[in-house]
């Protein structure tokens, strides 16, 4: 007699904990052939608000860490994804209907991408900051700083590599993130939450909401404690336009939707989209 | 609080007016489109006045949406040639413009003071030299774009729609036009309705420099003209400096389009004075922080945070210094504080200051006689201000300082950051480690330590939070006009 599998009911990942949706709602996740995979929590408006609160709370500590320390923690996350390679591969197979070999390559790419971003932590200021030679006796230095709380709509198709490619660049510089995962393919994101929870990443730095981005998007775009909005995963241009317009309420920085080739080498643009430049002046020789 | 003594008789100076004869004012001005001055399509005009005397300086054309169409079309036609011109050639045009500005600096300074009301010593010694410097700095970037941080093969964005405010009419023009042109974009710029004249003189300078027609277009008008420009379907980039509310509406207007956007908006900067501050410099810094340019500065140090144990000393010295400020004729070389730019602005300042009275803050101004015509406001300081007061929260955009106190660095940081704005901040202390720690924790795009209100084309300027996004100045300011090129 074959063994009966243990079916999972997943929860959200907010502030380092795994709460159920406050609404009590869940939805069924199926594979590309329509077979039941798991129940996922369907995040509500209250969950989104809690996630933003957790991200805000975590911002001071995370942005205040040394870049070297952030780089180490991101690298540790990559180690742990590597450790769960098989599970991620199975998630990607189920979510995206790839073969095991194809999915394994996606997981490899996601780990490599995470490692690439980890290495940027203590180099961003060297590449995007500068000493300014002003016409007067002043020390004048511009350095990048994180923008704050970034709300991200993750790509809907590329559920692991796409997700990693939008989350890692936002947090490596010290931002904290609320990410709405692919609605149909949330399992890689949920597994990633489990990795993040047991790595050294402080709770609240990444908050993962499984659910409907069409529902959650406007609340995040209009939230006054969100500083930036990444619309990469919004597929409908009209919806994206509405969210961008809503984001003007507190002049959020908006990264517009795009459909990048996630397998291509990234540039630093996803990091610099969520950086501010701070310029400090001081007299010299007085 | 003690009643601080004020010298009974301020020093008297003989008048030292700069002559306005160097400026040839035309009775009326057209729009500058495609390299030529043209009348508007419907002939509507408005008047620009000297805020110090209410004298009408000239009539200026009110550009309609049809005029904006023509200007954008001219910029679009010119873009092809300008963007393909080798960078070293574009550079030479910008160098030419920088030189002509320097040559004509006195004329520009006088005209700026006439139209804006700012003291000639500021337009002459700050604005116009910086304007020339801005073109000179970005001229040198035109043939070095691959080093600007937009990849190895960056391209211009296209036609830039630029809307600038009245507080630094010519300086804001240079902040907008110089990087745009260096990067290979063409521009349509709308100066503020109360200060259009130096932009029109700049148009003449473009002609004098033989700048190809259409590369720079200037359309004059008010809010409707600006709206027609930023929402024009054929512009690729919008750059705006002005109020946060207008910035918000522009952000909404460009939502869902391909247009790139940079915004330089309002501020409510904290100028933080610790008890070990170099006090002479700090008092000068407080004064220049809030009274430079009549306080018409988005990064003005309008919230003074003084450590509690030196509050009495700071206030006494500040008041003594304020009593020596000379308010009056902008063209007089001794004038420190000129005219408020418009009747509307004077009314806004007056109203907000009255709110300060009503909310229980204590107002003080030095004895000072204001001219009988024109728009004037005496330098003013409010003490007893709390974070809840509107004068501590809202941008007054005038010579009005609100003073709060703090005890610890943590409290100073908390109060400084307690605003939706994040443009600038000041820190005054002799302790280097404290400067660095404060600079680290202040959420502001520019932190001036033991100095204030310094600007330079090589130095990025711009805000956090609701003070807008993007930076002007430096390579960051250039990158705002570039996109990464297709990989080859």
């Amino acid at each position: 007699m074959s063994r009966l599998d243990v079916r999972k009911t997943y929860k959200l990942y907010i502030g380092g904990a795994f709460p159920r949706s406050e609404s009590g709602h869940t939805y069924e996740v199926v594979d590309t052939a329509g077979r039941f995979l798991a129940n996922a929590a369907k995040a509500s408006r209250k969950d989104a608000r809690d996630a933003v609160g957790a991200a805000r709370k975590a911002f001071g500590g995370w942005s205040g860490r040394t870049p070297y320390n952030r780089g180490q923690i991101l690298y540790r996350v990559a180690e742990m994804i590597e450790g769960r390679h098989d599970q991620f591969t199975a998630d990607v197979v189920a979510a995206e209907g790839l073969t095991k070999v194809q999915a394994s390559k996606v997981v490899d790419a996601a780990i490599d991408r995470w490692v690439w971003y980890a290495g940027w932590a203590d180099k961003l200021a060297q590449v995007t900051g500068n000493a300014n030679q002003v016409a007067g006796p002043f020390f004048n230095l511009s350095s990048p700083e994180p923008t704050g709380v970034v709300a991200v709509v993750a790509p809907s198709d590329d559920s692991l590599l796409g997700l990693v490619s939008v989350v890692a660049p936002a947090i490596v510089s010290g931002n904290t993130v609320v990410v709405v995962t692919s609605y149909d393919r949330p399992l890689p994101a949920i597994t990633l939450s489990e990795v993040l929870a047991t790595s050294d990443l402080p709770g609240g730095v990444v908050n993962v909401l499984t659910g409907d981005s069409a529902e959650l998007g406007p609340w995040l775009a209009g939230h006054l404690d969100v500083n930036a909005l990444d619309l990469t995963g919004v597929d409908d241009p009209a919806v994206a336009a509405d969210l961008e317009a809503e984001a003007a309420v507190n002049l959020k920085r908006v990264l517009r939707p795009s459909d990048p080739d996630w397998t291509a080498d990234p540039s630093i643009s996803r990091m610099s989209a969520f950086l501010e430049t701070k310029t400090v002046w001081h007299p010299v020789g007085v | 609080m003690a009643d601080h003594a004020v010298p009974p008789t301020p020093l008297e100076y003989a008048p030292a007016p700069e002559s306005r004869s160097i400026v040839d004012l035309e009775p009326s001005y057209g729009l500058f489109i495609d390299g030529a001055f043209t009348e508007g399509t419907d002939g509507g005009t408005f008047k620009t006045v000297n805020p110090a005397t209410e004298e009408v300086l000239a009539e200026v054309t009110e550009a309609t949406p049809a005029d904006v169409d023509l200007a954008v079309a001219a910029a679009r036609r010119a873009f092809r040639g300008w963007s393909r011109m080798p960078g070293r050639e574009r550079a030479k045009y910008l160098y030419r413009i920088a030189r002509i500005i320097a040559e004509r600096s006195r004329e520009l300074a006088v005209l700026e003071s006439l139209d804006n009301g700012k003291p000639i010593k500021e337009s002459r010694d700050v604005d116009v030299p910086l304007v020339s410097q801005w073109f000179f700095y970005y001229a040198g970037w035109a043939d070095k774009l691959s080093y600007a941080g937009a990849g190895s093969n960056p391209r211009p964005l296209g036609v830039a729609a630029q809307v600038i405010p009245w507080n630094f009419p010519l300086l804001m023009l240079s902040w907008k036009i110089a990087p745009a042109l260096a990067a290979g974009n063409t521009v349509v710029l709308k100066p503020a309705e109360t200060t259009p004249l130096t932009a029109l003189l700049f148009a003449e300078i473009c002609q004098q420099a033989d700048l190809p027609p259409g590369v720079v277009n200037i359309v004059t008008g008010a809010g409707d003209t600006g709206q027609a420009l930023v929402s024009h379907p054929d512009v690729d980039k919008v750059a705006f400096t002005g109020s946060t509310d207008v910035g918000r509406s522009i952000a909404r207007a460009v939502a869902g389009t391909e247009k790139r956007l940079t915004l330089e908006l309002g501020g409510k900067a904290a100028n933080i004075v610790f008890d070990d501050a170099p006090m002479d410099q700090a008092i000068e810094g407080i004064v220049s922080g809030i009274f430079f340019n009549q306080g018409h500065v988005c990064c003005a140090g309008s919230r003074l945070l003084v450590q509690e144990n030196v509050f009495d000393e700071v206030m006494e010295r500040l008041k003594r210094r304020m009593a020596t400020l000379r308010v009056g004729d902008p063209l007089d070389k001794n004038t420190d504080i000129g005219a408020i730019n418009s009747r509307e602005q004077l009314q806004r300042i007056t109203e907000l200051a009255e709110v300060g009275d009503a909310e229980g803050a204590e107002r003080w101004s030095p004895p000072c006689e204001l001219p009988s015509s024109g728009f004037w406001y005496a330098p003013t300081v409010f003490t007893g201000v709390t974070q809840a007061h509107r004068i501590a929260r809202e941008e007054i955009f005038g010579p009005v300082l609100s003073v709060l106190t703090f005890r610890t660095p943590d409290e100073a940081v908390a109060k400084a950051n307690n605003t939706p704005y994040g443009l600038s901040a000041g820190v005054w202390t002799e302790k280097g480690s404290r400067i660095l720690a404060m600079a680290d924790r202040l959420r502001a795009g520019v932190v001036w330590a033991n100095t204030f209100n310094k600007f330079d084309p090589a130095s990025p300027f711009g805000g956090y939070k609701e003070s807008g996004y993007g930076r002007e100045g430096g390579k960051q300011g250039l990158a705002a006009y570039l996109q990464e090129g297709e990989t080859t």
Side-chain angles (χ1 to χ4, degrees):
Chain A
M1 182 182 151
S2 65
R3 181 181 165 274
L4 202 61
D5 60 351
V6 179
R7 290 191 168 174
K8 300 165 189 163
T9 293
Y10 287 112
K11 293 186 275 187
L12 306 169
Y13 180 53
I14 297 174
F18 291 92
R20 295 180 195 284
S21 169
E22 163 274 343
S23 66
H25 289 179
T26 61
Y27 68 100
E28 290 189 8
V29 180
V30 297
D31 69 12
T32 47
R35 285 182 298 257
F36 176 84
L37 289 172
N39 289 305
K42 193 167 183 212
S44 69
R45 177 182 196 167
K46 173 74 162 54
D47 297 322
R49 281 168 47 197
D50 290 347
V52 172
R56 172 58 58 196
K57 201 172 159 197
F59 177 70
W62 181 240
S63 59
R65 289 188 182 232
T66 64
Y68 175 59
N69 182 238
R70 282 202 300 271
Q72 286 193 310
I73 290 173
L74 259 72
Y75 185 76
R76 171 74 183 138
V77 170
E79 284 181 347
M80 294 189 61
I81 303 174
E82 184 82 52
R84 293 212 195 190
H85 200 292
D86 288 351
Q87 185 186 354
F88 276 105
T89 302
D91 283 343
V92 171
V93 166
E96 297 178 15
L98 300 178
T99 66
K100 204 174 164 192
V101 172
Q102 289 167 326
S104 176
K105 282 187 179 148
V106 168
V107 177
D108 291 347
I111 295 166
D112 292 352
R113 179 71 36 90
W114 197 280
V115 170
W116 188 78
Y117 277 115
W120 269 109
D122 50 7
K123 295 159 196 78
L124 264 181
Q126 293 174 323
V127 172
T128 65
N130 26 270
N132 308 310
Q133 292 171 303
V134 300
F138 293 95
F139 162 89
N140 185 301
L141 199 70
S142 292
S143 341
E145 288 193 346
T147 296
V149 174
V150 183
V152 181
V153 179
S156 55
D157 293 337
D158 219 325
S159 58
L160 180 64
L161 183 56
L163 175 76
V164 161
S165 300
V166 294
V167 169
I171 62 170
V172 68
S173 61
N175 294 294
T176 56
V177 161
V178 175
V179 59
V180 183
T181 67
S182 167
Y183 185 82
D184 293 326
R185 305 172 176 184
L187 295 195
I190 294 168
T191 303
L192 183 67
S193 307
E194 294 172 356
V195 163
L196 299 177
T198 49
S199 68
D200 298 321
L201 195 76
V205 172
V206 176
N207 303 276
V208 181
L209 300 176
T210 48
D212 186 353
S213 66
E215 230 175 80
L216 298 169
W219 296 330
L220 292 168
H223 197 299
L224 290 178
D225 214 16
V226 173
N227 303 104
L229 193 59
D230 180 350
L231 299 177
T232 299
V234 177
D235 298 323
D236 180 344
V239 170
D242 286 348
L243 292 174
E244 184 180 342
E246 185 62 34
V249 63
N250 63 337
L251 295 155
K252 290 178 183 68
R253 285 69 175 133
V254 176
L255 192 58
R256 288 179 176 146
S258 60
D259 190 15
D261 172 7
W262 298 113
T263 61
D265 283 342
S267 73
I268 66 166
S269 62
R270 285 189 172 271
M271 290 181 285
S272 51
F274 304 118
L275 292 177
E276 301 293 333
T277 297
K278 178 183 278 177
T279 301
V280 178
W281 293 67
H282 194 278
V284 168
V286 180
Chain B
M1 197 182 66
D3 184 20
H4 301 297
V6 168
T9 47
L11 299 174
E12 290 304 327
Y13 287 78
E18 175 69 60
S19 165
R20 58 186 280 183
S21 65
I22 193 167
V23 173
D24 290 323
L25 273 173
E26 307 279 344
S28 69
Y29 289 89
L31 309 170
F32 184 66
I33 295 175
D34 211 12
F37 285 94
T38 66
E39 286 181 21
T41 49
D42 84 342
T45 60
F46 60 101
K47 295 177 171 60
T48 185
V49 304
N50 178 343
T53 59
E54 301 178 58
E55 164 204 7
V56 173
L57 294 170
E59 275 197 345
V60 180
T61 304
E62 171 114 41
T64 63
D67 298 320
V68 170
D69 272 346
L70 293 171
V72 172
R76 176 64 61 197
R77 283 192 303 275
F79 176 68
R80 196 180 162 85
W82 184 250
S83 60
R84 293 181 181 182
M85 184 184 289
R88 63 176 184 278
E89 302 299 315
R90 283 202 306 272
K92 285 188 276 187
Y93 281 110
L94 292 177
Y95 282 125
R96 271 189 193 178
I97 290 171
R99 281 285 196 247
I100 298 171
I101 289 166
E103 292 299 326
R104 300 179 71 170
S105 58
R106 186 151 154 258
E107 183 184 358
L108 287 162
V110 170
L111 185 57
E112 191 78 321
S113 283
L114 280 177
D115 203 16
N116 168 278
K118 65 175 68 199
I120 186 75
K121 79 175 180 192
E122 288 177 4
S123 53
R124 180 194 64 196
D125 298 347
V126 181
D127 293 48
V128 176
L130 277 173
V131 171
S132 175
Q133 206 188 337
W134 230 272
F135 280 96
F136 207 89
Y137 173 81
Y138 279 110
W141 267 117
D143 53 2
K144 304 169 188 68
L145 298 180
S146 57
Y147 296 91
S152 59
N153 180 28
R155 293 177 300 140
L157 301 172
V159 175
Q162 307 179 315
V163 176
I164 58 171
W166 48 260
N167 58 339
F168 291 96
L170 200 53
L171 185 60
M172 293 300 105
L173 173 149
S174 69
W175 286 27
K176 294 285 180 291
I177 292 182
L181 262 48
N185 302 274
T186 55
V187 308
V188 180
L189 176 127
K190 188 199 86 70
E193 64 268 31
T194 60
T195 55
L197 295 182
T198 44
L200 296 166
L201 182 51
F202 177 80
E204 279 179 33
I205 290 172
C206 292
Q207 289 178 324
Q208 200 182 341
D210 289 330
L211 191 72
V215 171
V216 169
N217 305 273
I218 311 264
V219 292
T220 46
D224 289 347
T225 306
Q227 200 176 359
L229 179 56
V230 301
S231 57
H232 194 287
D234 200 31
V235 305
D236 304 289
K237 156 85 185 179
V238 173
F240 171 75
T241 296
S243 75
T244 292
D245 278 345
V246 175
R248 245 189 281 276
S249 72
I250 291 175
R252 283 198 190 95
V254 305
T257 69
E258 298 283 312
K259 292 174 195 172
R260 305 285 194 95
L261 178 62
T262 44
L263 298 170
E264 296 289 355
L265 308 176
K268 192 73 188 173
N271 200 3
I272 304 167
V273 178
F274 284 94
D275 58 6
D276 68 342
M279 205 49 83
D280 290 342
Q281 290 97 316
I283 298 298
E284 284 308 301
I286 294 165
V287 167
S288 81
I290 185 61
F291 301 121
F292 174 64
N293 206 44
Q294 295 71 246
H296 300 331
V297 186
C298 50
C299 52
S302 54
R303 281 185 302 153
L304 177 63
L305 300 184
V306 182
Q307 199 155 24
E308 202 175 77
N309 53 321
V310 289
F311 174 78
D312 285 339
E313 182 192 354
V314 167
M315 289 313 299
E316 185 183 336
R317 296 176 70 157
L318 178 61
K319 287 177 175 181
R320 201 187 309 145
R321 177 67 179 88
M322 282 171 66
T324 67
L325 291 172
R326 304 179 63 81
V327 184
D329 181 5
L331 286 188
D332 190 314
K333 292 165 197 158
N334 293 319
T335 293
D336 298 302
I337 298 183
I340 300 301
N341 180 248
S342 65
R343 187 183 300 284
E344 292 70 36
Q345 187 58 26
L346 177 59
Q347 196 178 337
R348 270 195 288 272
I349 297 168
T350 308
E351 279 172 14
L352 264 170
E354 280 166 3
V355 170
D357 295 328
E359 289 183 342
E362 188 184 335
R363 182 205 289 246
W364 184 87
S365 290
C368 107
E369 201 175 318
L370 299 178
S372 53
S373 64
F375 316 126
W376 306 93
Y377 203 85
T380 299
V381 57
F382 277 102
T383 49
V385 178
T386 75
Q387 296 185 82
H389 285 158
R390 274 180 68 191
I391 53 170
R393 307 177 67 81
E394 294 180 27
E395 191 177 34
I396 298 178
F397 224 68
V400 180
L401 179 65
S402 297
V403 187
L404 299 89
T405 59
F406 68 93
R407 290 182 180 176
T408 63
D410 281 349
E411 189 187 346
V413 169
K415 284 184 170 171
N417 287 340
N418 183 22
T419 162
Y421 295 119
L423 188 51
S424 62
V427 180
W428 298 86
T429 169
E430 287 286 36
K431 194 170 159 78
S433 64
R434 184 184 285 153
I435 289 173
L436 297 176
M438 292 296 291
D440 231 23
R441 296 170 68 194
L442 291 166
R443 301 288 291 166
V446 183
V447 177
W448 286 294
N450 292 329
T451 183
F452 209 93
N453 269 347
K454 292 286 183 291
F455 309 94
D456 193 280
S459 180
F461 177 93
Y464 285 45
K465 299 195 282 187
E466 294 187 25
S467 289
Y469 33 80
R471 294 294 180 270
E472 295 183 287
K475 71 174 183 182
Q476 286 85 351
L478 187 65
Y481 286 92
L482 290 169
Q483 55 188 321
E484 290 187 15
E486 277 106 26
T487 44
T488 47

